[in-house]
Amino acid sequence: MSDTNAIGLHEDSASQLAEKLNALLANYQIFYMNVRGYHWNVKGPQFFELHTKFEELYTDLLTKVDEVAERILTLGHQPAHAYSDYVSMAVIGEDKDVRDGEACVRGVLKGYQTLIELQREVLALASDADDEGTAAQAGDYIREQEKTVWMLNAYLG
């Protein structure tokens, strides 16, 4: 009897990765809804540029939600799919009633910083498990989001 899954990873490692990815998925889902809320509710002199930017960001986040869930399935596990689970698993909290443009940008910045930190944990675990697929996905997300963090910090001055 083999202790590897369908893609040749040790089942213990795949299980640990799936658990860490489910936590990441929960954070993506909460962050996605926060950014969606910023898009809907932002007010102020930067409304037009921020409204458009938030739409760009939440569209990308939604794509990543799907990709993370599919990676969990690829590892042979089930992605969490109940919002109550997301709320209990996520480090990122729901951001309610935020309308000020600068406060919205700070919320986006904080969310990306949290995702980067979590993805570095996934990357380390994936590297230890010789899981190139998960490591590549996490690495790509980190690289992309680090640039976004730089740009958001530049925007805030």
Side-chain angles (χ1 to χ4, degrees), residues 8-80:
L9 296 176
H10 290 281
E11 186 48 49
D12 288 344
S13 296
S15 181
Q16 290 174 4
L17 280 161
E19 184 177 331
K20 190 67 88 173
L21 285 168
N22 262 313
L24 181 63
L25 177 63
N27 282 280
Y28 264 105
Q29 286 284 42
I30 301 295
F31 186 45
Y32 164 79
M33 285 308 302
N34 286 348
V35 177
R36 193 82 195 228
Y38 303 150
H39 168 77
W40 289 331
N41 296 304
V42 67
K43 306 254 188 263
Q46 296 90 17
F47 169 80
F48 288 105
E49 67 185 293
L50 291 178
H51 183 75
T52 300
K53 185 56 155 176
F54 295 150
E55 183 174 7
E56 174 190 319
L57 295 176
Y58 77 66
T59 299
D60 179 66
L61 291 168
L62 188 58
T63 297
K64 286 178 172 56
V65 162
D66 193 53
E67 291 172 351
V68 171
E70 288 177 350
R71 189 64 197 167
I72 294 166
L73 289 163
T74 301
L75 292 170
H77 293 268
Q78 182 175 351

Side-chain angles (χ1 to χ4, degrees), residues 2-152:
S2 176
D3 66 341
T4 59
N5 65 9
I7 61 171
L9 296 176
H10 290 281
E11 186 48 49
D12 288 344
S13 296
S15 181
Q16 290 174 4
L17 280 161
E19 184 177 331
K20 190 67 88 173
L21 285 168
N22 262 313
L24 181 63
L25 177 63
N27 282 280
Y28 264 105
Q29 286 284 42
I30 301 295
F31 186 45
Y32 164 79
M33 285 308 302
N34 286 348
V35 177
R36 193 82 195 228
Y38 303 150
H39 168 77
W40 289 331
N41 296 304
V42 67
K43 306 254 188 263
Q46 296 90 17
F47 169 80
F48 288 105
E49 67 185 293
L50 291 178
H51 183 75
T52 300
K53 185 56 155 176
F54 295 150
E55 183 174 7
E56 174 190 319
L57 295 176
Y58 77 66
T59 299
D60 179 66
L61 291 168
L62 188 58
T63 297
K64 286 178 172 56
V65 162
D66 193 53
E67 291 172 351
V68 171
E70 288 177 350
R71 189 64 197 167
I72 294 166
L73 289 163
T74 301
L75 292 170
H77 293 268
Q78 182 175 351
H81 62 274
Y83 207 76
S84 58
D85 290 338
Y86 298 147
V87 170
S88 69
M89 293 168 56
V91 176
I92 296 173
E94 295 174 310
D95 205 357
K96 300 177 184 179
D97 300 321
V98 178
R99 292 176 184 82
D100 174 72
E102 187 173 317
C104 292
V105 173
R106 289 190 189 288
V108 171
L109 181 58
K110 184 178 176 188
Y112 276 122
Q113 289 167 330
T114 301
L115 289 178
I116 290 167
E117 182 180 324
L118 294 170
Q119 288 162 164
R120 285 190 178 123
E121 293 173 11
V122 168
L123 179 59
L125 192 60
S127 295
D128 290 345
D130 292 326
D131 178 2
E132 177 61 29
T134 303
Q137 183 180 41
D140 288 348
Y141 291 179
I142 291 166
R143 177 191 44 79
E144 183 182 307
Q145 292 164 2
E146 285 175 340
K147 184 176 180 180
T148 301
V149 165
W150 161 66
M151 293 176 137
L152 291 170

